[in-house]
Amino acid sequence: MKLEVLTKNENKKVENFIIKGIRDLINYKNLEPGDKLPSERMLSEKFEVSRNNVREAIQKLEFYGLLKSRPQSGTFVANIGVTAMNGMIEDIIRLDEPDFKSLVETRILLELKTVKLAALRRTEEDLQKMEEALLAYKQKVLNGEDAVQEDLLFHLAIAKASGNSTMNTFMLIITPEIITKFEKYHVCDSDLSQKGIVDHQAIFDAIKNEDPQLAKQKMKDHFKELYVYCYNIE
Amino acid sequence: MKLEVLTKNENKKVENFIIKGIRDLINYKNLEPGDKLPSERMLSEKFEVSRNNVREAIQKLEFYGLLKSRPQSGTFVANIGVTAMNGMIEDIIRLDEPDFKSLVETRILLELKTVKLAALRRTEEDLQKMEEALLAYKQKVLNGEDAVQEDLLFHLAIAKASGNSTMNTFMLIITPEIITKFEKYHVCDSDLSQKGIVDHQAIFDAIKNEDPQLAKQKMKDHFKELYVYCYNIE
DNA sequence: ACTGCTAAACTGGTTAACCAGTTTTTAATT
DNA sequence: AATTAAAAACTGGTTAACCAGTTTAGCAGT
């Protein structure tokens, strides 16, 4: 029994290998929704991998809603057809790390919507949180410090105020990668930050005044330079 | 040492408890980006939970980019400031299961974009995949069978053709929940499915003809009834 | 042959032990 | 006192053992 620490890439390969195995199993044995999968121990023996690896693969498929495991009972095929199962597994396997371009593109799409929704739905508490974030951002910029994180925090406050939990989650997922890339490429210069204050204030005012169209327009303006800049990076 | 199987809700509470503990630790000890966290064993002892629970919490924070663990060395605070850290952790803790309304709202937003991008960027291979999905959908509907999954698979093919890996991932995340909810509430009746064929064909043709505006419009029409229907469910 | 019940086998979840690098401490040498 | 080499302690990752429900098999009684 060899024992070595795998890199994350190797680990991913093993996981995909197991996922493919489970897919083939479902196809070959004609498992239908609700049917029980072989036990984790049997799968680990069949695929000649550790039970831990099997568990991780199953948990991933469970996250995407393809499997459902019940404690002390077994793992079952979710209520989803064979064709859908195959199509989605193929996508899951081929999922790569998102490129920066698609990240920014998605962020802009999400934010132009969340800012509109925030203008329609924001509560007084939301406003307060956003104002706090705005002030923190201003202070950092006026002190000449790097304010990428405070910038993003203001945007996250907007996402929360949108009242759409799904979009809020998605913003949370893409934000850390945006931050690291931005700091890596030094996207936000000081003069850009100065303009950022005005932009943010305008966005905040529009949300406060419950003007969704204006809020969206201000957000668009805010992204305008960013958009061009990002598309020149890669 | 008591030993019992926790429900997923209880498990979530424990996870959030640990995440809060880690946040407090970072604040209290003034840990900065790059600093090392106490070892998993120490944390499990300090919080009086199992090391497994600590590992899961750390992995979650790692997923959101707040921590970074290096094998055989330690877990480190990611390159992100204290304020951003606190704000994001608060959001992560308060994240609930997404409600259906926000799910549909997000899906519509994403798809009106992916269909435009698909019309602009689709390759021949993308077209082929979409056509296959379209045919499978038609056959199911014409046989009078339930075709919710084939429906969604066509939409996923569009997302893939958009060339935006982030949006594709997000569609993958929300699709399973959409499917189960739709089947639960019987959103798609047979007459609606009949219209669905025409809609899908129109969307496909627009993408094939590289007409993004028409593609978006057809998608909008396709969602029109769905949109109203969904908002009446809850 | 059929039903009811018991016990053995099996299941996913959990804990404890172990592994092989990394880091820190210690001690020896200059 | 400074440097370096060796060893002990520590780290996240991995494996094996264990737990308590669930499911199934087998048997007893009718």
Side-chain angles (χ1 to χ4, degrees), chain A residues 45-61:
Chain A
E45 194 175 343
K46 179 181 174 66
F47 299 144
E48 292 180 335
V49 294
S50 78
R51 203 186 137 198
N52 242 356
N53 293 134
V54 174
R55 279 180 65 78
E56 284 173 23
I58 287 178
Q59 280 172 21
K60 183 160 189 178
L61 292 179

Side-chain angles (χ1 to χ4, degrees), chain A:
Chain A
M1 177 72 58
K2 66 175 177 179
L3 201 159
E4 50 183 332
V5 176
L6 300 178
T7 68
K8 289 185 178 172
N9 225 327
E10 290 170 323
N11 215 329
K12 208 171 185 178
K13 276 190 181 179
V14 173
E15 194 176 273
N16 282 342
F17 169 74
I18 299 172
I19 289 179
K20 283 180 195 170
I22 293 177
R23 176 198 57 187
D24 295 342
L25 209 66
I26 292 176
N27 287 329
Y28 182 71
K29 297 215 171 189
N30 275 326
L31 296 185
E32 295 181 5
D35 287 353
K36 188 157 86 171
L37 240 62
S39 72
E40 296 176 351
R41 288 169 182 81
M42 287 186 64
L43 290 177
S44 72
E45 194 175 343
K46 179 181 174 66
F47 299 144
E48 292 180 335
V49 294
S50 78
R51 203 186 137 198
N52 242 356
N53 293 134
V54 174
R55 279 180 65 78
E56 284 173 23
I58 287 178
Q59 280 172 21
K60 183 160 189 178
L61 292 179
E62 206 177 350
F63 172 78
Y64 285 105
L66 302 184
L67 297 179
K68 191 82 185 170
S69 57
R70 280 206 292 268
Q72 280 94 21
S73 176
T75 302
F76 301 83
V77 179
N79 189 20
I80 191 176
V82 191
T83 44
M85 176 78 69
N86 279 299
M88 291 189 60
I89 285 186
E90 190 185 342
D91 283 345
I92 292 172
I93 290 174
R94 300 219 192 288
L95 272 182
D96 283 341
E97 294 297 312
D99 56 307
F100 192 36
K101 197 174 167 183
S102 91
L103 220 52
V104 172
E105 201 170 67
T106 310
R107 183 200 165 185
I108 291 174
L109 173 71
L110 281 172
E111 293 231 55
L112 291 184
K113 186 72 176 187
T114 54
V115 75
K116 258 170 70 178
L117 294 178
L120 292 170
R121 300 173 182 170
R122 91 288 184 287
T123 64
E124 287 302 317
E125 190 189 346
D126 290 331
L127 275 181
Q128 191 181 330
K129 285 278 176 62
M130 284 164 45
E131 196 156 22
E132 286 174 17
L134 183 53
L135 282 176
Y137 174 70
K138 281 183 182 174
Q139 283 184 351
K140 276 267 186 175
V141 172
L142 293 179
N143 286 1
E145 297 178 64
D146 182 275
V148 175
Q149 295 162 21
E150 284 73 16
D151 184 350
L152 269 295
L153 267 188
F154 176 71
H155 288 269
L156 277 179
I158 295 176
K160 191 190 282 185
S162 75
N164 185 306
S165 58
T166 307
M167 293 188 198
N168 191 18
T169 305
F170 287 168
M171 280 295 295
L172 273 176
I173 293 176
I174 65 178
T175 293
E177 299 203 54
I178 296 264
I179 288 181
T180 52
K181 293 265 181 153
F182 270 29
E183 289 179 340
K184 185 178 173 188
Y185 292 112
H186 303 288
V187 171
C188 295
D189 297 342
S190 59
D191 56 335
L192 205 66
S193 295
Q194 293 287 350
K195 186 179 177 303
I197 291 185
V198 183
D199 288 354
H200 280 196
Q201 185 66 52
I203 295 169
F204 174 75
D205 292 339
I207 294 175
K208 190 177 182 182
N209 294 332
E210 306 183 35
D211 187 338
Q213 289 307 325
L214 183 63
K216 184 180 178 181
Q217 187 55 48
K218 290 299 177 185
M219 183 68 84
K220 214 175 226 169
D221 296 343
H222 182 47
F223 278 141
K224 198 165 187 178
E225 302 170 33
L226 186 64
Y227 196 73
V228 177
Y229 192 93
C230 289
Y231 270 67
N232 291 335
I233 285 180
E234 286 175 339

Side-chain angles (χ1 to χ4, degrees), chain B residues 114-130:
Chain B
T114 54
V115 75
K116 258 170 69 177
L117 293 178
L120 291 170
R121 302 173 181 169
R122 92 288 184 289
T123 65
E124 288 302 318
E125 189 188 347
D126 291 329
L127 276 181
Q128 191 182 331
K129 286 278 176 65
M130 284 164 48

